[in-house]
Amino acid sequence: MSIPYTSADFTTPRATGASWIEYPFIEDGDTATKIYHLICEVNKDDYASVALDTTMANASNADVLELPFTADAAAYHVGDFNHQVIDGALLRFDRQFTSIPADRNDVFTGTRAYSYPGIFATTDAGTERTATAYSHSGTSTQICTLTVTNTLSVGDLFYLEITTSTTVVTGYFVAITGTTGSVVKFKLLTLGGTFTSGTLTELVIQPRGQDAVETGSTSDFTYYLPGVTGGITNATDVTETAVFKAYNPATGLSVLTLGESTVPSFVEYAEMVSDGDYIVVASNVKRWRGNIIEREDIKVRAL
C-alpha cells in the first residue's frame, strides 16, 4: 500500500493521460459536438472547482497545469464529476468542458400513442354525380345507378339525395359489398313511389372519430447557453414550442373533431396529411449539461 503524502507538484490539477474526448451525438451524424473529459489529479486539500461556463481557452482558464487537448474557446465548463480520493492525499476527478451542441432535426425517437383529431362529414368540394335510377333488393339493400363510374370503395361514406313521387331522402350512407362501376349499393329502408331524381356526392375526405394510434415519432433538438446564445439571458428565456391543437376560433376552446370552421379546418388538415407534414405533439425544456439548456420538440406525421 502506498504511503499517503502531499506533494507541491499537485497543488494545481494535472490532466492525466486518461483524459479523452466524447462525441455524444456521433450516431446522429454530429461529429462537431465534443465533451472534453479532463481526468485530473490534485492534492485533495488544494481542490477547487471552476465556475460553470468558463471556457477551455487555455490551461489557466481550465485550472490545470497543461491542457491535454488543443485549446477550445467554444467549449464551456459544465462541471467536475466522479471525485475519488487516491492514497488518502490525491483527489481524482473528471473536469468536463463541452461545446454548445448544434441543432439536430428529425431524429427518430421511437413510437408514441397520439390521439389524432376526428373529422366531420361534409360534402364541401365533393364530386357530385347524377343518379339515373333507384331500386332495392330484398328489404334493405338499395341500388343507385349513376351516369358515370364511381370511385367509392366498400366502407366509404357518401351523401345521397333521392326524390321519388312520394318521398325525399337525404343523408350520409355507407357503400357496401357489391358497389362497382356505375352502381352503388347501400342499406336503407325501402322507399315508396317511383324514382324522380337524385344525386350522389363522393366525399373528398372520409369522416372519422378521434383515434388514438401508436405512431413513429421524431424530435428536433435545440440547445441554448444563457448569456452566450443570442436573445437568451436566463434559463427561463427558453420556452416550450406550442404543440398542435385544433380549436374553435369563436370560443378559443379545443375541439376533438375538425370541421369547416375549426383551426385547422378539415380541408387544411387534409392538405397537411397529403403533404406529409409533421405536427409537434410535445415540447420539453431541460438542463442538458452545466448551464446548457436543451429543448426537444417531439413530432408525429399528420394522419
Side-chain angles (χ1 to χ4, degrees), residues 213-282:
V213 176
E214 284 284 337
T215 184
S217 65
T218 64
S219 292
D220 293 343
F221 294 91
T222 311
Y223 297 87
Y224 310 85
L225 179 56
V228 175
T229 303
I232 304 298
T233 303
N234 303 299
T236 53
D237 294 331
V238 181
T239 57
E240 294 82 1
T241 298
V243 301
F244 174 82
K245 180 183 74 170
Y247 65 94
N248 182 335
T251 62
L253 298 178
S254 298
V255 296
L256 301 180
T257 305
L258 304 178
E260 298 175 15
S261 59
T262 59
V263 177
S265 69
F266 80 97
V267 173
E268 292 168 334
Y269 188 77
E271 290 176 352
M272 293 169 61
V273 173
S274 177
D275 293 342
D277 291 345
Y278 281 79
I279 55 179
V280 177
V281 297

Side-chain angles (χ1 to χ4, degrees), residues 34-92:
K34 301 176 182 179
I35 301 174
Y36 297 95
H37 293 263
L38 279 64
I39 308 304
C40 299
E41 294 180 357
V42 67
N43 292 329
K44 65 179 182 179
D45 292 335
D46 292 319
Y47 170 76
S49 184
V50 174
L52 293 179
D53 305 341
T54 300
T55 67
M56 199 180 73
N58 50 55
S60 177
N61 268 24
D63 191 26
V64 292
L65 284 177
E66 185 177 353
L67 286 174
F69 318 113
T70 301
D72 186 348
Y76 300 86
H77 184 235
V78 293
D80 292 348
F81 305 92
N82 302 323
H83 297 73
Q84 307 170 57
V85 175
I86 303 171
D87 291 336
L90 292 180
L91 182 69
R92 178 180 295 160

Side-chain angles (χ1 to χ4, degrees), residues 22-33 104 106-108:
E22 177 185 357
Y23 296 85
F25 306 126
I26 196 166
E27 290 185 353
D28 295 333
D30 177 1
T31 59
T33 301
R104 293 178 295 130
D106 302 321
V107 178
F108 180 69

Side-chain angles (χ1 to χ4, degrees), residues 122-129 152 157-161 172 199-204:
T122 178
T123 59
D124 278 9
T127 302
E128 186 176 283
R129 311 212 185 265
L152 292 169
L157 199 72
F158 60 88
Y159 186 79
L160 183 67
E161 296 183 9
Y172 292 95
T199 58
L200 181 150
T201 303
E202 297 181 32
L203 309 183
V204 173

